[in-house]
Amino acid sequence: MKVDQQKLTEILANKSGLEPESVKNQLDELVARIKSAAEKGKALEIKGFGMFYFRENSELTFDPSDDLQTEINYKYAGMEPVEIKKPFEAPEKSVREKESDSAEDQIPDQISGLNADESSSPEPEKTEWPVESENEKTGSTESRDKNKDSEQIKSGLKNRDDSGMSKKHGNRAIRNRGPKKRENSVTIVMTAIVVILAVISVLILVLDREFMGNIFNSGRVQEVTQMNPEQEETDPAADEDASVPGAEETSDSLLADSDADTETETAAGWPDREQPLPPAIEEVDLSGQPANEPYGLYGTAGTVEDPYYSIILHSIRGEDRAEEIREELQNEGYRTVITSVNHEEMGLMWRVGLGQFESIPDAQNAAADLPKTYRDNNFIGIVR
Amino acid sequence: MDKKLVRALKEVIREEIIKKNTVEIEGLGRFEVIHQKQHQKKLADGQVLMMPPRDNVIFTPEDPETR
């Protein structure tokens, strides 16, 4: 929000109890005072506020006083600058001395033959320190090489990085070593995990593909073997009965019993749906029954006195349309029935159903044999 | 009277600035509060500090020429 001159005068008048005009005059006076003081080279200080002064480029400037600054920043009171990275001069010396000390300790464990040589080397390092601080590059590379050999840093990458950096950054490279050691080991572990996961996922993919391939192959083979016997059956049936036995001998045992049906098979290839299904399948199918029985899915609808169950496919209002659907389904070979039901909300509904069954389980079993479109979209209804 | 005004002026401006309002004085300039987000500061010796967020008062003098 902006406080302009007018508003300022208002507030000032309220606060000081003076009249607005008087306030305005005095304000102008004050401004003039500040400016004149600044031009003379003096700075005007208002206690508890700040200082007005003229900068070199003859610009009027103001510095807020410390009190004012603290009060403005009361929200952030107590927040001090946080050190993220240490300076690399003094602390590094102690770090490097420590490193060279540890090098001395490690060497006896690892390189036995060179004890005498190595023990003498750190000393020149230490003494070389103040001298070589001038030639940072050379000093750091030399000492770093020795440290490399002795300390056996974990990753080869890190060595490369250090040697590369030494040419550019000198001391900084050594300073970065400390925390980098830990960081590098962590990154190595993480990359290893990622690689392992990638390998596992690739293996899974490859194995899956193999399995899929097998499934496809076996499926196709089965289909082909089933098709062939059927074709052999129907074609000879249409042409000559004599060739049928020959074809049958080679066909599946499943279809071998359909002898009786071959004579009545039409040229279309599929057995006429109005006839019962082949016996082999008939044994499994509970609904496949001759047309003259009261219950069943196929054939013509018989008059059944007791209430029976039916697989309801459609429930619509129009009687004519229901009749049309019924005829279509009947042509497909199903036993169809139409019933009318007075629905609570919908009124008089005409239901077109397939089959007549004694019980709900019978109807459900029969429904399982229907084509997918009917199977997925039906309910079992009772017909009285 | 004069001192009273100066004191009052100081108080008023102080209050308004603490409320983060901009105060304008004709002939003098504008007092604004600018928020500075927290940021990293690199020192010459390689030290890096995280500076906390701050609200700073800045004064922009009114251009005498325009008047």
Side-chain angles (χ1 to χ4, degrees):
Chain A
M1 199 181 76
K2 230 180 189 177
V3 175
D4 60 358
Q5 186 81 1
Q6 197 191 352
K7 201 156 186 203
L8 183 69
T9 329
E10 267 181 51
I11 301 172
L12 269 174
N14 286 338
K15 213 153 178 129
S16 62
L18 301 168
E19 283 184 20
E21 262 201 49
S22 167
V23 166
K24 192 172 181 303
N25 291 335
Q26 294 200 17
L27 209 66
D28 291 339
E29 216 186 290
L30 190 65
V31 169
R33 253 183 73 187
I34 292 170
K35 283 196 169 169
S36 61
E39 277 165 18
K40 286 182 202 168
K42 289 185 192 171
L44 185 70
E45 192 194 330
I46 302 178
K47 283 193 182 163
F49 195 57
M51 198 154 70
F52 291 91
Y53 62 95
F54 248 62
R55 268 194 292 199
E56 282 179 10
N57 52 0
S58 68
E59 232 178 60
L60 181 65
T61 331
F62 164 79
D63 273 347
S65 67
D66 290 337
D67 291 341
L68 187 61
Q69 284 201 2
T70 329
E71 199 163 337
I72 288 172
N73 284 299
Y74 76 94
K75 260 202 299 186
Y76 316 115
M79 287 193 192
E80 296 295 328
V82 174
E83 190 182 76
I84 295 175
K85 247 184 195 179
K86 284 184 187 168
F88 49 69
E89 278 186 22
E92 219 185 20
K93 270 192 184 179
S94 56
V95 167
R96 287 184 77 186
E97 282 178 352
K98 279 182 199 168
E99 282 182 357
S100 58
D101 287 339
S102 63
E104 276 184 281
D105 293 335
Q106 283 180 22
I107 288 160
D109 297 333
Q110 293 158 4
I111 307 168
S112 56
L114 297 167
N115 271 353
D117 293 337
E118 291 292 346
S119 58
S120 61
S121 63
E123 283 175 23
E125 264 186 45
K126 285 182 190 171
T127 55
E128 279 172 3
W129 242 101
V131 175
E132 286 193 301
S133 60
E134 295 172 2
N135 302 326
E136 283 175 2
K137 287 182 186 179
T138 52
S140 57
T141 46
E142 276 181 40
S143 53
R144 201 176 305 107
D145 286 337
K146 286 178 186 165
N147 282 335
K148 267 190 224 172
D149 295 335
S150 55
E151 284 196 69
Q152 305 228 350
I153 299 162
K154 286 173 191 174
S155 72
L157 271 175
K158 198 160 162 294
N159 283 341
R160 256 180 271 143
D161 281 343
D162 279 355
S163 57
M165 282 173 73
S166 68
K167 288 163 192 170
K168 293 177 193 173
H169 301 287
N171 283 337
R172 240 198 216 172
I174 295 171
R175 173 172 56 86
N176 290 339
R177 246 203 210 164
K180 259 196 181 180
K181 267 188 189 175
R182 271 185 221 162
E183 287 175 13
N184 265 353
S185 59
V186 168
T187 50
I188 288 166
V189 168
M190 287 187 64
T191 47
I193 291 169
V194 166
V195 164
I196 289 167
L197 284 173
V199 166
I200 290 169
S201 57
V202 164
L203 281 171
I204 290 170
L205 280 170
V206 167
L207 288 170
D208 271 349
R209 268 193 214 154
E210 283 182 17
F211 278 126
M212 293 290 276
N214 285 342
I215 289 169
F216 275 134
N217 288 340
S218 59
R220 275 188 214 133
V221 166
Q222 283 171 16
E223 282 173 17
V224 167
T225 50
Q226 274 193 357
M227 283 299 293
N228 283 338
E230 285 175 6
Q231 284 173 4
E232 285 173 359
E233 254 187 298
T234 56
D235 288 342
D239 298 339
E240 292 172 4
D241 292 343
S243 59
V244 166
E248 280 177 292
E249 281 171 5
T250 57
S251 69
D252 256 357
S253 58
L254 188 67
L255 297 168
D257 294 338
S258 52
D259 251 10
D261 299 328
T262 53
E263 289 179 0
T264 58
E265 283 175 1
T266 60
W270 279 107
D272 195 357
R273 271 298 181 84
E274 292 190 354
Q275 298 293 324
L277 288 173
I281 300 173
E282 215 180 329
E283 288 166 7
V284 178
D285 183 17
L286 294 174
S287 61
Q289 286 168 16
N292 48 7
E293 284 200 7
Y295 296 113
L297 181 60
Y298 302 104
T300 50
T303 50
V304 179
E305 289 188 12
D306 297 327
Y308 61 88
Y309 295 93
S310 186
I311 306 170
I312 309 294
L313 291 186
H314 300 275
S315 182
I316 50 182
R317 284 209 185 88
E319 188 181 357
D320 297 335
R321 178 73 190 129
E323 190 60 45
E324 275 176 42
I325 294 170
R326 184 184 160 285
E327 276 184 34
E328 285 173 19
L329 290 170
Q330 186 77 52
N331 290 338
E332 286 183 30
Y334 295 109
R335 193 190 292 203
T336 52
V337 291
I338 286 194
T339 77
S340 63
V341 170
N342 217 337
H343 203 275
E344 284 178 6
E345 297 169 350
M346 312 272 276
L348 187 68
M349 302 298 288
W350 295 95
R351 287 184 176 169
V352 182
L354 298 185
Q356 297 167 303
F357 304 98
E358 226 175 338
S359 65
I360 293 180
D362 282 349
Q364 284 172 335
N365 286 335
D369 290 333
L370 291 174
K372 194 170 169 33
T373 45
Y374 298 149
R375 193 174 61 219
D376 289 346
N377 205 9
N378 71 66
F379 64 92
I380 309 296
I382 188 166
V383 178
R384 296 195 166 84
Chain B
M1 287 271 278
D2 204 23
K3 278 192 178 175
K4 224 180 176 181
L5 179 73
V6 173
R7 229 175 279 152
L9 179 72
K10 176 185 83 182
E11 298 278 330
V12 163
I13 296 182
R14 216 177 135 112
E15 278 173 19
E16 293 303 315
I17 282 178
I18 286 167
K19 288 188 226 166
K20 306 272 177 60
N21 294 335
T22 315
V23 180
E24 251 184 37
I25 297 181
E26 259 177 45
L28 202 55
R30 199 168 75 229
F31 295 90
E32 263 177 313
V33 177
I34 304 282
H35 177 72
Q36 190 183 40
K37 294 183 190 169
Q38 72 172 20
H39 62 282
Q40 292 186 5
K41 189 170 171 182
K42 278 186 190 170
L43 298 180
D45 58 357
Q47 195 182 24
V48 178
L49 300 171
M50 178 68 92
M51 307 301 288
R54 306 242 331 146
D55 288 327
N56 292 326
V57 178
I58 63 153
F59 171 75
T60 34
E62 202 177 277
D63 200 357
E65 290 176 8
T66 58
R67 275 203 102 207

